[in-house]
Amino acid sequence: MKNRYIEYLNSLHNFRSSGANALAESQSTNEYFNSINVKLGIFDEIVRLINSETESVIILTGHAGDGKSTLAIDIYKHFKKISVGSALESPLNEFELITEGNLSIVKDMSELSAEDRLTRFEKSMSEPGNWLIVSNTGPLLSTLSDYKGAGNARSDILRVLDEPLDKIITDSNKLKDYEKDVYVINLTRLDNAAVGASLITRLVSHAGWEVCKSCDKADSCPIKTNRDQLYGSLETVEKRIRWVYQRTNAYEKRLTMRQMIAQLSLSITGGYDCEDVNGSDDKILFSDIFFGYTNGRLEDKLTRLQGIELMVKSQYGASIGLKYESPFCSEQNDLINGLQENIKYIAKRFQVKGFEREGIRWRSGLRRILYLFCPIEDRCYQDFHQLFLKSDNTIDFDFWAENRGFSYSRSQKKKLKNKCLSVLLEYYTGFNSGQFEKDGVMYLTLKREDKLLAQSAQLVLFRKNFDDFDIDYDAGERCPVIKYKDISMHMPLPVIDYMFSSYRGEIGGRLSPVYHAKLDRFRTQILHLDEGKDGEDDVSIIRSGIDGEVQLYDLELSNNKRSIEKT
């Protein structure tokens, strides 16, 4: 028996020949699309702006696959009063006028010539009503530069494009000095990890799977078995996928909604259709395919999908240390015994195969099964998730984003701040924070930038207690921020992970050049802020003694006296 829903899932990726429903234009007329579509959180804000008394021009921009066209279709259906679950009879035209909402929609400015793009934008400014315009970033920059003049428009556009995008649209998302309120909604600035992960629940829970129950191959179908394993652990699987996507977006490359749905749909079907099913086939296992493997072995052809390629690059499932490797060999392993029965038998098979000559690949597969499917999240097992993700703070970042802030006590917050400042002290001076005679003091010094030589003595340019700094959470940027007076530095996931690993004394902690520049800029800003304000006649140095202890010395310079005094 053929299941058309499985055919639809295979049309959402380009692993094989069919990718017919990957684009929003095709999706809008598909019977299955609306039941799996997840509205972006910004939808309600756009509706609010259109319904307000002030006429607005709202521009949706971002990368291909970010969901611009899908969001425009959702807005179109809302104001045309078309049921959310209904498919459109035909794709949107290049231009749509909706009298009910006094709204004009330009489906995709990127498909128009430069001249036509400028004409459309001029009309949006001169004609009455609200406008919703979909455009890739390049054509948007070109059109607005032509309209306002490159010198007048470009810097303002770039400013708005870089603004954080949360659930509320503010004046920070608005361009200056236009005839109407012009809002630029850059979907690349939207945190899409949670929305992307939630798609797994919709894909797996869809009513289209009911057809499989009456199929004569249901008991031996690997596609149905894979789906049933997911269905029994959906809450856990969705959360673990969300963590992976958050880490991927922070460390590697931000995945688009189209790339995530392609990865998820392929991981469910393995790229197989109903006619491909002949008895049991171990090649379809979500925890393997999602990360780029088949039977624990790397499958190069799966990396045709961008999402899976990035999973392979991160090497999820690699060895995580004896603390967890030894218990994996035991029949009393809590993580394995905590699995649902329909996935536990595969985990136990992988566990047995882990003792074979090629056991390394089966143990790797077992780790991926346990990460995705085991619901246990006791504190003693949180290390397993952190080691699997190769990140100390992805789980905390997820919690902070959901709660829009820290849930720490004052002492916990101070502990986090001091940990970050201790690492910054080491980064800026080259001395470990434990070497300093006095704890809790930040020094910024005159130091070689190339860091090729250890400097046992350094001239002090700035000296403040840790208590003069603060740490908070920025809900817009979705990350912690460390502050000194009016100076602040946002600390995204790679920076916070670097702080934690460096604080533990791990050797070889890596930070990309862009984040090194962020730390250096914070130092420069502090020095410029405090330049010449206090103690400008004092000269101090920090010096490392033969025992490694770093001490502070004050220098006294006068016509009659040259002296150095230990503080």
Side-chain angles (χ1 to χ4, degrees), residues 173-200:
N173 304 110
K174 186 167 64 174
L175 295 175
K176 299 176 182 176
D177 302 325
Y178 283 79
E179 292 84 343
K180 295 181 181 179
D181 289 342
V182 179
Y183 294 92
V184 178
I185 311 301
N186 183 8
L187 295 186
T188 62
R189 298 287 284 146
L190 192 67
D191 183 11
N192 64 3
V195 177
S198 70
L199 288 169
I200 189 64

Side-chain angles (χ1 to χ4, degrees), residues 517-529:
K518 178 184 281 288
L519 301 187
D520 293 337
R521 185 167 58 251
F522 185 53
R523 173 185 181 275
T524 301
Q525 289 174 327
I526 291 174
L527 290 176
H528 284 173
L529 180 68

